[in-house]
């Protein structure tokens, strides 16, 4: 997974949590993870597993499709070079 995508996901989690006026501890409790893990994810210091990410998104009461809407790689326009 590319770094820019990870940052977008981290930022989206933090934004949605703040929009819903949920503390880091409340989100951690709802997602059954530690407060420290939520903090590390929001600050792009760790990458959550897919299952943890899904639990966080569910805890934020957001549809998965809506959460990932508009998350794009900034490098998709670069040409691909294949060497043999």
């Amino acid at each position: 997974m590319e770094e820019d995508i990870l940052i977008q996901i981290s930022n989206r989690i933090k934004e949605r949590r703040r929009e819903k006026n949920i503390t880091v501890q409340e989100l951690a409790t709802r997602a059954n993870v530690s407060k420290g893990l939520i903090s590390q994810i929001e600050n792009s210091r760790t990458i959550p597993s897919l299952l943890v990410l899904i639990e966080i998104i569910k805890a934020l009461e957001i549809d998965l499709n809506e959460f990932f809407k508009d998350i794009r790689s900034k490098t998709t326009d670069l040409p691909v070079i294949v060497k043999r």
Side-chain angles (χ1 to χ4, degrees), residues 79-84:
V80 175
I81 299 172
V82 178
K83 287 180 117 176
R84 290 187 181 177

Side-chain angles (χ1 to χ4, degrees), residues 3-53:
E3 187 174 317
D4 62 316
I5 293 175
L6 294 173
I7 292 170
Q8 290 176 58
I9 289 171
S10 297
N11 290 340
R12 184 142 312 162
I13 290 170
K14 186 184 288 187
E15 288 168 8
R16 297 296 189 258
R17 179 181 62 76
R18 287 180 175 171
E19 285 173 5
K20 294 181 176 282
N21 294 317
I22 300 171
T23 66
V24 172
Q25 182 60 60
E26 288 173 318
L27 179 57
T29 301
R30 291 180 187 187
N32 295 313
V33 297
S34 71
K35 177 181 172 181
L37 180 60
I38 297 293
S39 176
Q40 289 179 344
I41 292 168
E42 286 188 352
N43 292 303
S44 302
R45 288 183 302 205
T46 193
I47 302 168
S49 69
L50 180 58
L51 293 176
V52 168
L53 180 58

